[in-house]
Amino acid sequence: MLKRKWTRFIAASAILALVVSGCASGSGESQKQGAGSNGGAPENGTVTIKLHTWYPKKTDNWDVAIAEFEKKYPNIKVEFVSAEDNNSNEYYKKLDLAAASGEDLDVMMFGNMNYLSQRMELGMLEPIDGYLEKEGVVLADEYTVDTGIAGKTYGLPGKSVLPMVFINENHLKEAGLELPKDWTWEEYMQYAKAMTKTDGGKTRYGTYFHSWATQAYFIQNMNQAVGANLTTEDGTKANVDTPNVRKSLELRLQGEKEGIVTPYAEVVSQKLNYRPQYFNQETSMITMGSFLVPEAGGTEQVPATFKTVFAPLPKVNKEDSISGNVSGDVLGIYSKSKHKEEAYTFIRWYTTEGITLQGKYFPSWKKANMNEVIDRIIAGTKTPEMIDKDSLLYVLENTKQSTAAVAVPFHAELEKVFVEEFDAMMLSAQDLDTTVKNAQERIQKIIDSK
């Protein structure tokens, strides 16, 4: 069924169609070459593998990580391949084109499991279960993120992205509020109201929701492990008409009505971005992934001018436990790589001790010393004192981390439909019930057509 669904996606993309052809051709020859084979004798006993990503090398300390790896494994060299522009959308286009053109690929990075799943369906990813079994690794014991798909593993989780709340400490104190350690979404909106301030005709809003589709149905996407997507877990039913989607929409409407959230019309018309909105103090708090933590300490481009404190993700109900759906980068091995064994050696090292040494991200590796990780990240910022370590550590230690099911390959198509109905509600006064009804029906129609 998945193959049939993915075929429809391929028909809409000439590049990906070429990828299918590229992956299929010559597969017999590559399978005859042993794992980690050079296709011949490696020069000086050294193998070079290519790491394809979108991250900037020096800014994100990849040069540090690679140097440490090559020091430990002198027989493996890593060639860093990136446009250095931090643009993952363009990266995927280039990656697909590289595969279609028959370029040498070894390690490929993906921003989340959905992107990996799409390429897995095309045959671009090598299953790594054999390597894990040989090493005696049980995925669930090692990592917080589950990267399994239909009983197989095609990648290992790199950085862990946990949703949390970033709060401007000055604004918090100005409003006479305590830093929350356990709160609900209703209380979150109360905090947003208390921190909203208008002065000289200009409003500083209490909170900001970005234009991502996931920030339209945020409670469902961030707070629950089961049923977090716009389809049911088996991909056969629309999953819009739910209490959590309705609650998300209600809170968005409440924010607009009370004037405590950056107006959605401004977000889309002015193409606002969460980074300048928060760091330029246009808003007092944002709900964002932990990947943003290092930036709270300032960068060359955007200095930190205030201290950020952290709160856990709000809960739906008072009695619920503090929890959040964790996601993050995934590293996989190209199915036609000539250096699969060396590629596995790299992704296994990087997703464990490598990320800690890199000092930029929070690892998915359960055995990492989180206190050491935080110290490294904070120390690597321009103004470390602007990151409140105690509240950050509290959030990381007290949030129950879960992994949502991988979305269907055509999930982007469903999100487009959902956003269209969301826009009608936020911009054209379409009522909530009609919004949910239309989105549910339209998404079900797409599912049935696959």
Side-chain angles (χ1 to χ4, degrees), residues 164-169 171-173 176-192 195 284-285 287 309-315 318 322 388 390-392 394-395 398-399:
M164 59 180 63
V165 182
F166 294 64
I167 308 176
N168 184 314
E169 185 183 51
H171 297 178
L172 190 72
K173 290 181 177 179
L177 298 170
E178 293 290 328
L179 177 62
K181 292 190 172 182
D182 189 323
W183 56 342
T184 64
W185 283 107
E186 283 83 0
E187 291 168 329
Y188 178 90
M189 298 302 284
Q190 291 170 11
Y191 268 61
M195 288 189 287
S284 298
M285 66 177 176
T287 301
V309 290
F310 304 88
L313 192 66
K315 305 183 301 187
K318 198 78 174 176
I322 299 172
D388 185 67
D390 291 342
S391 60
L392 176 59
Y394 175 85
V395 172
N398 290 277
T399 301

mmCIF file of all heavy atoms in Angstrom, residues 164-169 171-173 176-192 195 284-285 287 309-315 318 322 388 390-392 394-395 398-399:
data_model
loop_
_atom_site.group_PDB
_atom_site.id
_atom_site.type_symbol
_atom_site.label_atom_id
_atom_site.label_comp_id
_atom_site.label_asym_id
_atom_site.label_seq_id
_atom_site.Cartn_x
_atom_site.Cartn_y
_atom_site.Cartn_z
ATOM 1 N N MET A 164 9.819 23.042 24.359
ATOM 2 C CA MET A 164 9.860 23.702 25.659
ATOM 3 C C MET A 164 9.479 25.159 25.459
ATOM 4 O O MET A 164 9.297 25.623 24.332
ATOM 5 C CB MET A 164 11.250 23.575 26.280
ATOM 6 C CG MET A 164 12.367 24.176 25.445
ATOM 7 S SD MET A 164 14.008 24.021 26.218
ATOM 8 C CE MET A 164 14.227 22.253 26.272
ATOM 9 N N VAL A 165 9.373 25.885 26.549
ATOM 10 C CA VAL A 165 8.989 27.297 26.473
ATOM 11 C C VAL A 165 10.184 28.176 26.831
ATOM 12 O O VAL A 165 10.813 27.994 27.877
ATOM 13 C CB VAL A 165 7.799 27.606 27.401
ATOM 14 C CG1 VAL A 165 7.386 29.076 27.260
ATOM 15 C CG2 VAL A 165 6.612 26.692 27.080
ATOM 16 N N PHE A 166 10.498 29.114 25.947
ATOM 17 C CA PHE A 166 11.551 30.102 26.148
ATOM 18 C C PHE A 166 10.889 31.385 26.647
ATOM 19 O O PHE A 166 9.971 31.902 25.999
ATOM 20 C CB PHE A 166 12.282 30.398 24.841
ATOM 21 C CG PHE A 166 13.071 29.250 24.267
ATOM 22 C CD1 PHE A 166 12.440 28.071 23.843
ATOM 23 C CD2 PHE A 166 14.442 29.346 24.114
ATOM 24 C CE1 PHE A 166 13.160 27.021 23.302
ATOM 25 C CE2 PHE A 166 15.173 28.298 23.570
ATOM 26 C CZ PHE A 166 14.537 27.132 23.169
ATOM 27 N N ILE A 167 11.353 31.909 27.771
ATOM 28 C CA ILE A 167 10.720 33.093 28.359
ATOM 29 C C ILE A 167 11.761 34.167 28.650
ATOM 30 O O ILE A 167 12.823 33.895 29.216
ATOM 31 C CB ILE A 167 9.970 32.753 29.662
ATOM 32 C CG1 ILE A 167 8.998 31.582 29.455
ATOM 33 C CG2 ILE A 167 9.211 33.979 30.179
ATOM 34 C CD1 ILE A 167 8.290 31.139 30.734
ATOM 35 N N ASN A 168 11.443 35.398 28.275
ATOM 36 C CA ASN A 168 12.271 36.556 28.585
ATOM 37 C C ASN A 168 12.141 36.831 30.086
ATOM 38 O O ASN A 168 11.074 37.201 30.565
ATOM 39 C CB ASN A 168 11.788 37.759 27.766
ATOM 40 C CG ASN A 168 12.648 38.997 27.949
ATOM 41 O OD1 ASN A 168 13.000 39.363 29.063
ATOM 42 N ND2 ASN A 168 12.958 39.661 26.841
ATOM 43 N N GLU A 169 13.230 36.625 30.829
ATOM 44 C CA GLU A 169 13.158 36.752 32.281
ATOM 45 C C GLU A 169 12.753 38.163 32.719
ATOM 46 O O GLU A 169 12.009 38.329 33.697
ATOM 47 C CB GLU A 169 14.500 36.382 32.910
ATOM 48 C CG GLU A 169 14.455 36.365 34.438
ATOM 49 C CD GLU A 169 15.800 36.059 35.069
ATOM 50 O OE1 GLU A 169 16.797 36.724 34.710
ATOM 51 O OE2 GLU A 169 15.864 35.140 35.911
ATOM 52 N N HIS A 171 10.751 40.258 31.209
ATOM 53 C CA HIS A 171 9.310 40.429 31.021
ATOM 54 C C HIS A 171 8.527 39.645 32.076
ATOM 55 O O HIS A 171 7.464 40.082 32.534
ATOM 56 C CB HIS A 171 8.902 39.977 29.619
ATOM 57 C CG HIS A 171 9.518 40.792 28.527
ATOM 58 N ND1 HIS A 171 9.317 40.520 27.180
ATOM 59 C CD2 HIS A 171 10.337 41.876 28.574
ATOM 60 C CE1 HIS A 171 9.988 41.403 26.454
ATOM 61 N NE2 HIS A 171 10.617 42.231 27.273
ATOM 62 N N LEU A 172 9.061 38.486 32.439
ATOM 63 C CA LEU A 172 8.420 37.648 33.450
ATOM 64 C C LEU A 172 8.385 38.388 34.795
ATOM 65 O O LEU A 172 7.338 38.463 35.459
ATOM 66 C CB LEU A 172 9.174 36.328 33.579
ATOM 67 C CG LEU A 172 8.538 35.215 34.421
ATOM 68 C CD1 LEU A 172 7.338 34.623 33.696
ATOM 69 C CD2 LEU A 172 9.564 34.117 34.708
ATOM 70 N N LYS A 173 9.525 38.948 35.175
ATOM 71 C CA LYS A 173 9.603 39.668 36.443
ATOM 72 C C LYS A 173 8.778 40.945 36.413
ATOM 73 O O LYS A 173 8.136 41.313 37.408
ATOM 74 C CB LYS A 173 11.067 39.993 36.752
ATOM 75 C CG LYS A 173 11.909 38.775 37.116
ATOM 76 C CD LYS A 173 13.348 39.175 37.424
ATOM 77 C CE LYS A 173 14.174 37.969 37.867
ATOM 78 N NZ LYS A 173 15.594 38.341 38.141
ATOM 79 N N GLY A 176 5.408 40.354 37.301
ATOM 80 C CA GLY A 176 5.226 39.800 38.636
ATOM 81 C C GLY A 176 4.882 38.327 38.648
ATOM 82 O O GLY A 176 4.173 37.843 39.532
ATOM 83 N N LEU A 177 5.412 37.585 37.671
ATOM 84 C CA LEU A 177 5.088 36.161 37.527
ATOM 85 C C LEU A 177 6.235 35.274 37.989
ATOM 86 O O LEU A 177 7.410 35.625 37.840
ATOM 87 C CB LEU A 177 4.767 35.847 36.066
ATOM 88 C CG LEU A 177 3.557 36.569 35.446
ATOM 89 C CD1 LEU A 177 3.528 36.340 33.936
ATOM 90 C CD2 LEU A 177 2.254 36.094 36.083
ATOM 91 N N GLU A 178 5.887 34.119 38.517
ATOM 92 C CA GLU A 178 6.873 33.104 38.887
ATOM 93 C C GLU A 178 7.157 32.222 37.664
ATOM 94 O O GLU A 178 6.278 31.990 36.834
ATOM 95 C CB GLU A 178 6.347 32.236 40.031
ATOM 96 C CG GLU A 178 6.172 32.969 41.341
ATOM 97 C CD GLU A 178 7.493 33.361 41.980
ATOM 98 O OE1 GLU A 178 8.482 32.604 41.787
ATOM 99 O OE2 GLU A 178 7.547 34.406 42.643
ATOM 100 N N LEU A 179 8.376 31.733 37.571
ATOM 101 C CA LEU A 179 8.702 30.811 36.484
ATOM 102 C C LEU A 179 7.945 29.507 36.697
ATOM 103 O O LEU A 179 8.132 28.838 37.715
ATOM 104 C CB LEU A 179 10.211 30.539 36.461
ATOM 105 C CG LEU A 179 10.701 29.532 35.417
ATOM 106 C CD1 LEU A 179 10.405 30.030 34.002
ATOM 107 C CD2 LEU A 179 12.196 29.265 35.589
ATOM 108 N N PRO A 180 7.074 29.125 35.777
ATOM 109 C CA PRO A 180 6.277 27.907 35.965
ATOM 110 C C PRO A 180 7.106 26.632 35.826
ATOM 111 O O PRO A 180 7.970 26.524 34.962
ATOM 112 C CB PRO A 180 5.226 28.001 34.848
ATOM 113 C CG PRO A 180 5.862 28.843 33.800
ATOM 114 C CD PRO A 180 6.739 29.824 34.523
ATOM 115 N N LYS A 181 6.827 25.681 36.688
ATOM 116 C CA LYS A 181 7.482 24.375 36.618
ATOM 117 C C LYS A 181 6.502 23.278 36.231
ATOM 118 O O LYS A 181 6.897 22.155 35.930
ATOM 119 C CB LYS A 181 8.141 24.046 37.960
ATOM 120 C CG LYS A 181 9.329 24.930 38.294
ATOM 121 C CD LYS A 181 10.085 24.407 39.505
ATOM 122 C CE LYS A 181 11.377 25.181 39.729
ATOM 123 N NZ LYS A 181 12.159 24.651 40.870
ATOM 124 N N ASP A 182 5.221 23.601 36.263
ATOM 125 C CA ASP A 182 4.167 22.642 35.935
ATOM 126 C C ASP A 182 2.906 23.463 35.657
ATOM 127 O O ASP A 182 2.352 24.060 36.572
ATOM 128 C CB ASP A 182 3.944 21.686 37.103
ATOM 129 C CG ASP A 182 3.023 20.521 36.750
ATOM 130 O OD1 ASP A 182 2.064 20.742 35.987
ATOM 131 O OD2 ASP A 182 3.267 19.412 37.239
ATOM 132 N N TRP A 183 2.482 23.511 34.396
ATOM 133 C CA TRP A 183 1.354 24.372 34.058
ATOM 134 C C TRP A 183 0.530 23.800 32.909
ATOM 135 O O TRP A 183 0.938 22.845 32.247
ATOM 136 C CB TRP A 183 1.817 25.790 33.766
ATOM 137 C CG TRP A 183 2.877 25.953 32.681
ATOM 138 C CD1 TRP A 183 3.711 24.993 32.158
ATOM 139 C CD2 TRP A 183 3.216 27.173 32.026
ATOM 140 N NE1 TRP A 183 4.553 25.538 31.220
ATOM 141 C CE2 TRP A 183 4.275 26.872 31.115
ATOM 142 C CE3 TRP A 183 2.764 28.486 32.100
ATOM 143 C CZ2 TRP A 183 4.861 27.851 30.294
ATOM 144 C CZ3 TRP A 183 3.354 29.458 31.293
ATOM 145 C CH2 TRP A 183 4.384 29.136 30.404
ATOM 146 N N THR A 184 -0.627 24.400 32.676
ATOM 147 C CA THR A 184 -1.526 23.972 31.606
ATOM 148 C C THR A 184 -1.507 25.016 30.487
ATOM 149 O O THR A 184 -0.989 26.125 30.656
ATOM 150 C CB THR A 184 -2.969 23.823 32.119
ATOM 151 O OG1 THR A 184 -3.437 25.117 32.547
ATOM 152 C CG2 THR A 184 -3.048 22.840 33.278
ATOM 153 N N TRP A 185 -2.127 24.658 29.365
ATOM 154 C CA TRP A 185 -2.200 25.601 28.249
ATOM 155 C C TRP A 185 -3.055 26.824 28.605
ATOM 156 O O TRP A 185 -2.795 27.930 28.125
ATOM 157 C CB TRP A 185 -2.740 24.910 27.006
ATOM 158 C CG TRP A 185 -1.716 24.039 26.334
ATOM 159 C CD1 TRP A 185 -1.654 22.680 26.300
ATOM 160 C CD2 TRP A 185 -0.574 24.508 25.595
ATOM 161 N NE1 TRP A 185 -0.550 22.259 25.607
ATOM 162 C CE2 TRP A 185 0.125 23.360 25.149
ATOM 163 C CE3 TRP A 185 -0.072 25.771 25.271
ATOM 164 C CZ2 TRP A 185 1.296 23.443 24.401
ATOM 165 C CZ3 TRP A 185 1.091 25.865 24.514
ATOM 166 C CH2 TRP A 185 1.772 24.709 24.094
ATOM 167 N N GLU A 186 -4.057 26.633 29.444
ATOM 168 C CA GLU A 186 -4.863 27.779 29.890
ATOM 169 C C GLU A 186 -3.987 28.756 30.672
ATOM 170 O O GLU A 186 -4.069 29.979 30.491
ATOM 171 C CB GLU A 186 -6.035 27.316 30.762
ATOM 172 C CG GLU A 186 -7.197 26.712 30.010
ATOM 173 C CD GLU A 186 -6.977 25.240 29.691
ATOM 174 O OE1 GLU A 186 -5.915 24.696 30.070
ATOM 175 O OE2 GLU A 186 -7.869 24.643 29.052
ATOM 176 N N GLU A 187 -3.120 28.205 31.527
ATOM 177 C CA GLU A 187 -2.223 29.056 32.306
ATOM 178 C C GLU A 187 -1.175 29.726 31.403
ATOM 179 O O GLU A 187 -0.769 30.877 31.646
ATOM 180 C CB GLU A 187 -1.542 28.230 33.403
ATOM 181 C CG GLU A 187 -2.515 27.791 34.499
ATOM 182 C CD GLU A 187 -1.933 26.755 35.434
ATOM 183 O OE1 GLU A 187 -1.088 25.951 34.987
ATOM 184 O OE2 GLU A 187 -2.330 26.745 36.621
ATOM 185 N N TYR A 188 -0.769 29.028 30.378
ATOM 186 C CA TYR A 188 0.161 29.601 29.404
ATOM 187 C C TYR A 188 -0.437 30.866 28.792
ATOM 188 O O TYR A 188 0.240 31.903 28.675
ATOM 189 C CB TYR A 188 0.453 28.568 28.313
ATOM 190 C CG TYR A 188 1.372 29.038 27.201
ATOM 191 C CD1 TYR A 188 2.751 28.861 27.298
ATOM 192 C CD2 TYR A 188 0.863 29.633 26.044
ATOM 193 C CE1 TYR A 188 3.601 29.265 26.278
ATOM 194 C CE2 TYR A 188 1.699 30.052 25.020
ATOM 195 C CZ TYR A 188 3.066 29.871 25.145
ATOM 196 O OH TYR A 188 3.907 30.288 24.129
ATOM 197 N N MET A 189 -1.704 30.794 28.413
ATOM 198 C CA MET A 189 -2.365 31.950 27.825
ATOM 199 C C MET A 189 -2.545 33.075 28.843
ATOM 200 O O MET A 189 -2.498 34.263 28.493
ATOM 201 C CB MET A 189 -3.711 31.537 27.227
ATOM 202 C CG MET A 189 -3.615 30.512 26.096
ATOM 203 S SD MET A 189 -2.586 31.053 24.697
ATOM 204 C CE MET A 189 -3.707 32.206 23.889
ATOM 205 N N GLN A 190 -2.722 32.725 30.107
ATOM 206 C CA GLN A 190 -2.804 33.743 31.159
ATOM 207 C C GLN A 190 -1.474 34.476 31.301
ATOM 208 O O GLN A 190 -1.436 35.696 31.487
ATOM 209 C CB GLN A 190 -3.205 33.094 32.485
ATOM 210 C CG GLN A 190 -4.638 32.570 32.527
ATOM 211 C CD GLN A 190 -4.919 31.717 33.749
ATOM 212 O OE1 GLN A 190 -4.120 31.653 34.694
ATOM 213 N NE2 GLN A 190 -6.056 31.027 33.741
ATOM 214 N N TYR A 191 -0.377 33.719 31.222
ATOM 215 C CA TYR A 191 0.956 34.326 31.259
ATOM 216 C C TYR A 191 1.147 35.250 30.058
ATOM 217 O O TYR A 191 1.721 36.348 30.181
ATOM 218 C CB TYR A 191 2.033 33.241 31.260
ATOM 219 C CG TYR A 191 2.479 32.800 32.638
ATOM 220 C CD1 TYR A 191 1.575 32.237 33.537
ATOM 221 C CD2 TYR A 191 3.807 32.929 33.037
ATOM 222 C CE1 TYR A 191 1.974 31.826 34.806
ATOM 223 C CE2 TYR A 191 4.227 32.520 34.302
ATOM 224 C CZ TYR A 191 3.305 31.970 35.183
ATOM 225 O OH TYR A 191 3.704 31.560 36.432
ATOM 226 N N ALA A 192 0.701 34.803 28.888
ATOM 227 C CA ALA A 192 0.827 35.619 27.675
ATOM 228 C C ALA A 192 0.070 36.935 27.841
ATOM 229 O O ALA A 192 0.562 38.006 27.450
ATOM 230 C CB ALA A 192 0.291 34.852 26.474
ATOM 231 N N MET A 195 1.963 39.328 30.210
ATOM 232 C CA MET A 195 3.204 39.904 29.682
ATOM 233 C C MET A 195 2.997 40.773 28.451
ATOM 234 O O MET A 195 3.946 41.405 27.962
ATOM 235 C CB MET A 195 4.215 38.781 29.384
ATOM 236 C CG MET A 195 4.806 38.156 30.638
ATOM 237 S SD MET A 195 6.190 37.018 30.316
ATOM 238 C CE MET A 195 5.311 35.607 29.621
ATOM 239 N N SER A 284 7.242 37.978 24.314
ATOM 240 C CA SER A 284 7.864 37.643 25.599
ATOM 241 C C SER A 284 8.217 36.175 25.755
ATOM 242 O O SER A 284 9.116 35.831 26.512
ATOM 243 C CB SER A 284 6.935 38.055 26.751
ATOM 244 O OG SER A 284 6.726 39.450 26.745
ATOM 245 N N MET A 285 7.488 35.293 25.069
ATOM 246 C CA MET A 285 7.799 33.864 25.182
ATOM 247 C C MET A 285 7.353 33.127 23.928
ATOM 248 O O MET A 285 6.422 33.551 23.232
ATOM 249 C CB MET A 285 7.142 33.242 26.431
ATOM 250 C CG MET A 285 5.643 33.203 26.428
ATOM 251 S SD MET A 285 5.001 32.361 27.930
ATOM 252 C CE MET A 285 3.220 32.586 27.674
ATOM 253 N N THR A 287 7.016 28.902 22.304
ATOM 254 C CA THR A 287 7.143 27.458 22.459
ATOM 255 C C THR A 287 7.927 26.953 21.257
ATOM 256 O O THR A 287 7.473 27.068 20.122
ATOM 257 C CB THR A 287 5.756 26.793 22.513
ATOM 258 O OG1 THR A 287 5.026 27.329 23.604
ATOM 259 C CG2 THR A 287 5.875 25.289 22.683
ATOM 260 N N VAL A 309 14.899 32.219 30.473
ATOM 261 C CA VAL A 309 14.604 31.134 31.412
ATOM 262 C C VAL A 309 13.676 30.162 30.690
ATOM 263 O O VAL A 309 13.021 30.509 29.712
ATOM 264 C CB VAL A 309 13.956 31.653 32.717
ATOM 265 C CG1 VAL A 309 14.960 32.432 33.534
ATOM 266 C CG2 VAL A 309 12.727 32.520 32.412
ATOM 267 N N PHE A 310 13.620 28.932 31.172
ATOM 268 C CA PHE A 310 12.916 27.877 30.455
ATOM 269 C C PHE A 310 11.831 27.232 31.318
ATOM 270 O O PHE A 310 12.001 27.059 32.525
ATOM 271 C CB PHE A 310 13.906 26.813 29.989
ATOM 272 C CG PHE A 310 15.020 27.379 29.153
ATOM 273 C CD1 PHE A 310 16.181 27.863 29.759
ATOM 274 C CD2 PHE A 310 14.907 27.447 27.780
ATOM 275 C CE1 PHE A 310 17.210 28.407 29.005
ATOM 276 C CE2 PHE A 310 15.938 27.986 27.004
ATOM 277 C CZ PHE A 310 17.092 28.473 27.626
ATOM 278 N N ALA A 311 10.732 26.888 30.662
ATOM 279 C CA ALA A 311 9.626 26.211 31.340
ATOM 280 C C ALA A 311 9.244 24.982 30.526
ATOM 281 O O ALA A 311 9.420 24.960 29.306
ATOM 282 C CB ALA A 311 8.422 27.139 31.478
ATOM 283 N N PRO A 312 8.724 23.952 31.193
ATOM 284 C CA PRO A 312 8.309 22.765 30.450
ATOM 285 C C PRO A 312 7.096 23.049 29.576
ATOM 286 O O PRO A 312 6.391 24.047 29.777
ATOM 287 C CB PRO A 312 7.968 21.758 31.550
ATOM 288 C CG PRO A 312 7.633 22.598 32.738
ATOM 289 C CD PRO A 312 8.505 23.807 32.646
ATOM 290 N N LEU A 313 6.871 22.190 28.622
ATOM 291 C CA LEU A 313 5.702 22.309 27.755
ATOM 292 C C LEU A 313 4.437 22.266 28.609
ATOM 293 O O LEU A 313 4.313 21.409 29.490
ATOM 294 C CB LEU A 313 5.691 21.148 26.755
ATOM 295 C CG LEU A 313 4.728 21.234 25.579
ATOM 296 C CD1 LEU A 313 5.107 22.374 24.648
ATOM 297 C CD2 LEU A 313 4.718 19.912 24.819
ATOM 298 N N PRO A 314 3.492 23.186 28.402
ATOM 299 C CA PRO A 314 2.244 23.137 29.170
ATOM 300 C C PRO A 314 1.475 21.839 28.918
ATOM 301 O O PRO A 314 1.660 21.182 27.889
ATOM 302 C CB PRO A 314 1.457 24.343 28.643
ATOM 303 C CG PRO A 314 2.498 25.271 28.108
ATOM 304 C CD PRO A 314 3.549 24.370 27.529
ATOM 305 N N LYS A 315 0.617 21.480 29.858
ATOM 306 C CA LYS A 315 -0.152 20.239 29.776
ATOM 307 C C LYS A 315 -1.583 20.550 29.338
ATOM 308 O O LYS A 315 -2.087 21.657 29.507
ATOM 309 C CB LYS A 315 -0.165 19.544 31.132
ATOM 310 C CG LYS A 315 1.224 19.279 31.700
ATOM 311 C CD LYS A 315 1.168 18.530 33.025
ATOM 312 C CE LYS A 315 0.391 19.289 34.079
ATOM 313 N NZ LYS A 315 0.476 18.641 35.403
ATOM 314 N N LYS A 318 -4.622 19.341 34.079
ATOM 315 C CA LYS A 318 -3.822 19.546 35.279
ATOM 316 C C LYS A 318 -3.197 18.240 35.772
ATOM 317 O O LYS A 318 -2.053 18.209 36.238
ATOM 318 C CB LYS A 318 -4.715 20.133 36.384
ATOM 319 C CG LYS A 318 -3.953 20.781 37.524
ATOM 320 C CD LYS A 318 -3.458 22.171 37.142
ATOM 321 C CE LYS A 318 -2.820 22.888 38.310
ATOM 322 N NZ LYS A 318 -2.252 24.206 37.919
ATOM 323 N N ILE A 322 4.079 15.871 32.784
ATOM 324 C CA ILE A 322 4.797 16.760 31.871
ATOM 325 C C ILE A 322 5.421 15.893 30.776
ATOM 326 O O ILE A 322 6.212 14.993 31.057
ATOM 327 C CB ILE A 322 5.893 17.538 32.617
ATOM 328 C CG1 ILE A 322 5.283 18.415 33.716
ATOM 329 C CG2 ILE A 322 6.700 18.400 31.652
ATOM 330 C CD1 ILE A 322 6.323 19.067 34.612
ATOM 331 N N ASP A 388 19.754 30.447 31.360
ATOM 332 C CA ASP A 388 19.578 29.982 32.737
ATOM 333 C C ASP A 388 19.695 28.459 32.782
ATOM 334 O O ASP A 388 18.779 27.740 32.369
ATOM 335 C CB ASP A 388 18.213 30.425 33.269
ATOM 336 C CG ASP A 388 18.028 30.064 34.734
ATOM 337 O OD1 ASP A 388 18.729 30.640 35.572
ATOM 338 O OD2 ASP A 388 17.199 29.173 35.023
ATOM 339 N N ASP A 390 19.834 26.284 35.338
ATOM 340 C CA ASP A 390 19.000 25.549 36.290
ATOM 341 C C ASP A 390 17.621 25.228 35.723
ATOM 342 O O ASP A 390 17.142 24.088 35.831
ATOM 343 C CB ASP A 390 18.855 26.340 37.590
ATOM 344 C CG ASP A 390 20.158 26.404 38.377
ATOM 345 O OD1 ASP A 390 21.057 25.578 38.107
ATOM 346 O OD2 ASP A 390 20.290 27.285 39.250
ATOM 347 N N SER A 391 16.964 26.211 35.128
ATOM 348 C CA SER A 391 15.624 25.976 34.591
ATOM 349 C C SER A 391 15.681 25.081 33.357
ATOM 350 O O SER A 391 14.787 24.267 33.122
ATOM 351 C CB SER A 391 14.925 27.299 34.263
ATOM 352 O OG SER A 391 15.643 28.043 33.295
ATOM 353 N N LEU A 392 16.744 25.211 32.575
ATOM 354 C CA LEU A 392 16.910 24.354 31.397
ATOM 355 C C LEU A 392 17.077 22.904 31.812
ATOM 356 O O LEU A 392 16.436 21.993 31.261
ATOM 357 C CB LEU A 392 18.111 24.821 30.584
ATOM 358 C CG LEU A 392 18.489 23.985 29.354
ATOM 359 C CD1 LEU A 392 17.336 23.909 28.369
ATOM 360 C CD2 LEU A 392 19.739 24.555 28.693
ATOM 361 N N TYR A 394 16.099 21.567 34.565
ATOM 362 C CA TYR A 394 14.836 21.103 35.135
ATOM 363 C C TYR A 394 13.903 20.595 34.044
ATOM 364 O O TYR A 394 13.285 19.525 34.173
ATOM 365 C CB TYR A 394 14.157 22.234 35.918
ATOM 366 C CG TYR A 394 12.785 21.849 36.431
ATOM 367 C CD1 TYR A 394 12.645 21.171 37.630
ATOM 368 C CD2 TYR A 394 11.637 22.134 35.685
ATOM 369 C CE1 TYR A 394 11.384 20.778 38.087
ATOM 370 C CE2 TYR A 394 10.378 21.759 36.131
ATOM 371 C CZ TYR A 394 10.257 21.083 37.332
ATOM 372 O OH TYR A 394 9.012 20.688 37.768
ATOM 373 N N VAL A 395 13.788 21.360 32.969
ATOM 374 C CA VAL A 395 12.903 20.960 31.864
ATOM 375 C C VAL A 395 13.359 19.634 31.262
ATOM 376 O O VAL A 395 12.562 18.715 31.031
ATOM 377 C CB VAL A 395 12.859 22.052 30.779
ATOM 378 C CG1 VAL A 395 12.094 21.548 29.549
ATOM 379 C CG2 VAL A 395 12.197 23.309 31.318
ATOM 380 N N ASN A 398 12.749 16.667 33.728
ATOM 381 C CA ASN A 398 11.388 16.404 34.205
ATOM 382 C C ASN A 398 10.351 16.244 33.107
ATOM 383 O O ASN A 398 9.159 16.091 33.393
ATOM 384 C CB ASN A 398 10.948 17.518 35.156
ATOM 385 C CG ASN A 398 11.689 17.477 36.482
ATOM 386 O OD1 ASN A 398 11.329 16.739 37.391
ATOM 387 N ND2 ASN A 398 12.758 18.264 36.586
ATOM 388 N N THR A 399 10.789 16.268 31.868
ATOM 389 C CA THR A 399 9.869 16.062 30.758
ATOM 390 C C THR A 399 9.929 14.617 30.280
ATOM 391 O O THR A 399 10.998 14.123 29.919
ATOM 392 C CB THR A 399 10.197 16.997 29.578
ATOM 393 O OG1 THR A 399 10.127 18.353 30.012
ATOM 394 C CG2 THR A 399 9.207 16.783 28.437
#
